Amino acid sequence: MSSSPTPEMSAQRLGRLLRAPWFLAALMTLSCSADVVLLIQHGGTAPIAVPGAALLALLAVRGRRHPVVCSAAAAAVLVLSSAVIRIAGAAPPSVGLEAILATENLALMLLVLFAHRRLPPMKALPVTAGLVLACIGSVYLRGNMPSAGGQFVALGVLQLMLAVGTGTYVRGWQLSTASTPLRELLRRQWPMIAALSVLLFLDTGTAFEGTAETLVPLLGSLVLAALSVLTPLRPVEITLLGATGALCMGGAARVVGNWPTHAGLMDDVPVTAVAAGMLMMAYLVRYASRRRAVFGCSVLVGAVLVAAAVVPDSPFFWGRGSALDLLMLGGLLLVLAVGSGLYFRARDGERTRTVESAVEQAQQAERLALARELHDVVAHHVTGIVVQAQAAQMVAAQKPEAAVEAMERIAGSGTEALVAMRRLVASMRGAEPAGTSGVTEQATTDLAADLTALAEGAGPKVSLRVELDQEVPQEVARSALRLVQESVTNAGKHAPDATEIQVVVRSPQEHVHIRVTDNGSGSRAAPAGGSGGYGLVGMRERIELLGGRFSAGPVPGAGWRVEAWLPLAERDAG
């Protein structure tokens, strides 16, 4: 079944593109060629910067495999090239960061990206700091200080944020094995973070002068932007914080005096603040209940009106501009934000209903199939047992030997019925090979021994680690064994390129933790002959019936992971 690309799949595709040597070589070749043409056209001693730019381009291509060594070499080359340019008295033109060639700028961004993609944070941060210091030192050495210091700093910070964020995103946010709601939110919100960063850069470039009057709206916009990104975690609480921030922003502007003019939708209001407020409103309407959404929207709108009224030269109190025009524009933006939130809320509800309906239909179809098979297969054996038992009762007094033969046939029919029922229930959960394993048919009370037998029977690809410190109840042990078997079977069917399947079963504290991970490509291949599609649904049902938790999905980077937590103590699944 086809599905829309997940953030993990997008990160994998971007990571594969960045790992392709031909792509990086082509990108740096085009950039270097453009710089060579620009330097030749500029004339004079400007072409003296070509060797340094070319060497930086080469180091950027090699930096995908050796980020530390190449970053250190790039910093040294950049400083040395800047010293040569200063001695020669050249003034090479540049695009983007003033005094830094486009090729040098792109190479530095790629090296920062590779450092945060391949290295842990404690190693990536010093590498990034070295490159930043080399860039700043090169600007000083070349003697071509930017005229607009605020724009230069804003552009540099924006590029640094994009490089660090992209590298961390491609790396999959794997700072630890555990996944937290904040990490999942930031992974989903990365495009929104990038858009708000661009808006903040535009606001900085149009109004930053390094004074208190310009710092107040920029800092306020930064706080509101950060809160808007985190709004889905706690919509009402964070919206109330945003309303408080808007009031503080207006009060601070009243204290410092002159409020800088921003080019944007609303005069004197940074575009970033407007976008952050609209995002808060949309997320609030999308995720909060109707009553809480109305309350949060009312508080936020009231705070914005109060803040707009107290800023210096406010059109509401001081007669500058048209208050009616601002109110109409603010109302239009409010309608757009609320409408977007309602639209996505409806989409979320429709998606939830579709998933619930699909699961319910799958469960109902499975129950009907199970009922038919129970009637056609198991009932046949049970009927034979009843008939043979009645016949044995009738002839027991006259022919005891016939009764003994009948009892033997009854025992054989009972065994056949048990085997058929077990295979039937297992086949309802997936393909025939996954449901007819000898391991589950002959399971014992020793979970570790059963798991070892399963791993040995699955082949050398399965790496098993069992750490059971407590006694596991039989029902929990059988469910754990079944979950591992189904996960290993699915990995063999859907990830034929996987070279290792790691199975970890532990019993910390009051539960059994099961984790099955393969190192396949991450894209689940369709198995030969197709798949019933009930494997994950069945595993989730089995775990939830025991009061446990279940999760399954792609691993950031590559592969697939199935995890479950089964309680050792008896508890109500409801």
Side-chain angles (χ1 to χ4, degrees):
M1 182 175 63
S2 61
S3 59
S4 58
T6 62
E8 289 80 3
M9 296 171 60
S10 303
Q12 293 169 15
R13 294 172 182 173
L14 181 57
R16 285 194 294 268
L17 185 63
L18 292 174
R19 288 194 298 267
W22 63 266
F23 173 77
L24 293 176
L27 180 64
M28 297 309 302
T29 300
L30 289 175
S31 178
C32 192
S33 300
D35 273 340
V36 169
V37 173
L38 187 63
L39 292 172
I40 293 176
Q41 290 180 349
H42 189 268
T45 58
I48 200 172
V50 171
L55 190 54
L56 277 174
L58 179 61
L59 290 172
V61 175
R62 295 292 300 169
R64 65 188 182 90
R65 292 188 178 274
H66 310 285
V68 176
V69 176
C70 292
S71 296
V77 168
L78 183 61
V79 173
L80 182 61
S81 176
S82 301
V84 172
I85 292 173
R86 182 179 182 87
I87 294 173
S94 61
V95 178
L97 285 181
E98 198 167 344
I100 301 295
L101 296 178
T103 303
E104 297 171 334
N105 190 14
L106 180 59
L108 293 177
M109 290 184 62
L110 285 176
L111 288 171
V112 172
L113 188 153
F114 291 140
H116 286 269
R117 184 177 72 88
R118 297 184 63 91
L119 302 176
M122 296 306 296
K123 291 184 179 180
L125 291 178
V127 171
T128 304
L131 292 173
V132 171
L133 291 176
C135 181
I136 296 175
S138 298
V139 173
Y140 277 95
L141 280 175
R142 297 183 184 187
N144 187 18
M145 291 303 299
S147 56
Q151 297 182 15
F152 174 79
V153 172
L155 180 57
V157 172
L158 176 63
Q159 291 183 133
L160 183 62
M161 290 176 58
L162 291 177
V164 172
T166 304
T168 308
Y169 176 70
V170 173
R171 186 168 178 257
W173 297 92
Q174 285 187 310
L175 303 182
S176 64
T177 57
S179 178
T180 62
L182 179 60
R183 185 173 292 116
E184 293 295 332
L185 175 67
L186 294 179
R187 184 183 299 150
R188 296 194 307 267
Q189 294 286 76
W190 171 240
M192 200 64 64
I193 295 173
L196 290 172
S197 300
V198 172
L199 292 179
L200 189 62
F201 162 72
L202 294 176
D203 282 336
T204 305
T206 56
F208 183 77
E209 297 176 357
T211 60
E213 291 83 358
T214 58
L215 283 176
V216 167
L218 293 178
L219 291 178
S221 299
L222 179 61
V223 172
L224 292 177
L227 290 176
S228 67
V229 171
L230 300 176
T231 304
L233 286 178
R234 293 185 174 274
V236 178
E237 292 82 351
I238 295 181
T239 301
L240 295 180
L241 288 177
T244 305
L247 289 174
C248 294
M249 189 175 173
R254 182 70 178 174
V255 171
V256 298
N258 296 326
W259 184 274
T261 301
H262 291 75
L265 294 174
M266 303 182 71
D267 188 24
D268 294 347
V269 180
V271 179
T272 308
V274 175
M278 293 180 66
L279 280 176
M280 286 186 194
M281 195 79 66
Y283 285 136
L284 181 64
V285 174
R286 179 179 181 180
Y287 294 114
S289 63
R290 180 175 300 179
R291 179 177 299 179
R292 291 167 64 87
V294 171
F295 169 72
C297 290
S298 302
V299 172
L300 183 59
V301 171
V304 170
L305 290 176
V306 172
V310 301
V311 296
D313 298 332
S314 170
F316 296 98
F317 289 157
W318 304 102
R320 187 177 61 84
S322 175
L324 180 60
D325 292 343
L326 290 179
L327 287 176
M328 292 180 61
L329 181 56
L332 176 61
L333 296 178
L334 176 63
V335 170
L336 289 177
V338 173
S340 300
L342 291 174
Y343 170 76
F344 285 105
R345 186 186 184 95
R347 288 284 303 273
D348 293 342
E350 182 181 355
R351 187 182 300 110
T352 301
R353 289 190 294 271
T354 301
V355 173
E356 291 177 350
S357 176
V359 172
E360 184 178 356
Q361 291 177 4
Q363 293 173 344
Q364 183 65 21
E366 189 174 357
R367 294 190 187 99
L368 292 176
L370 179 59
R372 288 193 298 267
E373 294 297 327
L374 283 174
H375 179 272
D376 296 338
V377 177
V378 180
H380 169 72
H381 294 288
V382 175
T383 302
I385 291 173
V386 173
V387 172
Q388 293 174 23
Q390 292 174 346
Q393 288 176 346
M394 295 175 62
V395 301
Q398 301 175 357
K399 296 181 179 181
E401 64 277 5
V404 173
E405 294 178 357
M407 295 299 292
E408 293 178 353
R409 290 194 296 270
I410 289 173
S413 297
T415 302
E416 292 178 1
L418 286 175
V419 173
M421 186 169 60
R422 287 177 179 174
R423 290 182 176 177
L424 171 62
V425 173
S427 65
M428 290 295 100
R429 298 302 188 187
E432 187 66 17
T436 57
S437 170
V439 177
T440 53
E441 291 296 328
Q442 303 175 3
T444 67
T445 57
D446 189 350
L447 177 58
D450 293 338
L451 290 171
T452 303
L454 172 63
E456 293 175 351
K461 292 169 55 175
V462 178
S463 173
L464 176 65
R465 190 180 73 187
V466 181
E467 300 174 1
L468 298 177
D469 303 328
Q470 307 178 52
E471 182 180 356
V472 181
Q474 183 176 359
E475 180 63 24
V476 176
R478 189 169 183 84
S479 297
L481 180 64
R482 176 60 179 161
L483 177 67
V484 172
Q485 180 213 8
E486 182 73 16
S487 301
V488 171
T489 303
N490 284 344
K493 291 193 302 182
H494 297 282
D497 59 337
T499 59
E500 183 181 16
I501 303 174
Q502 295 182 353
V503 180
V504 179
V505 180
R506 304 183 300 113
S507 60
Q509 297 179 356
E510 299 180 354
H511 64 274
V512 175
H513 178 211
I514 305 165
R515 183 173 71 241
V516 182
T517 309
D518 64 71
N519 62 349
S521 60
S523 57
R524 314 308 285 174
S531 173
Y534 302 137
L536 293 178
V537 174
M539 284 191 284
R540 187 181 299 276
E541 287 179 351
R542 180 184 292 269
I543 300 305
E544 291 179 351
L545 283 175
L546 295 175
R549 294 184 291 118
F550 175 82
S551 66
V555 178
W560 188 271
R561 177 182 298 162
V562 175
E563 279 193 278
W565 292 263
L566 288 169
L568 292 174
E570 294 184 1
R571 63 183 65 183
D572 185 5

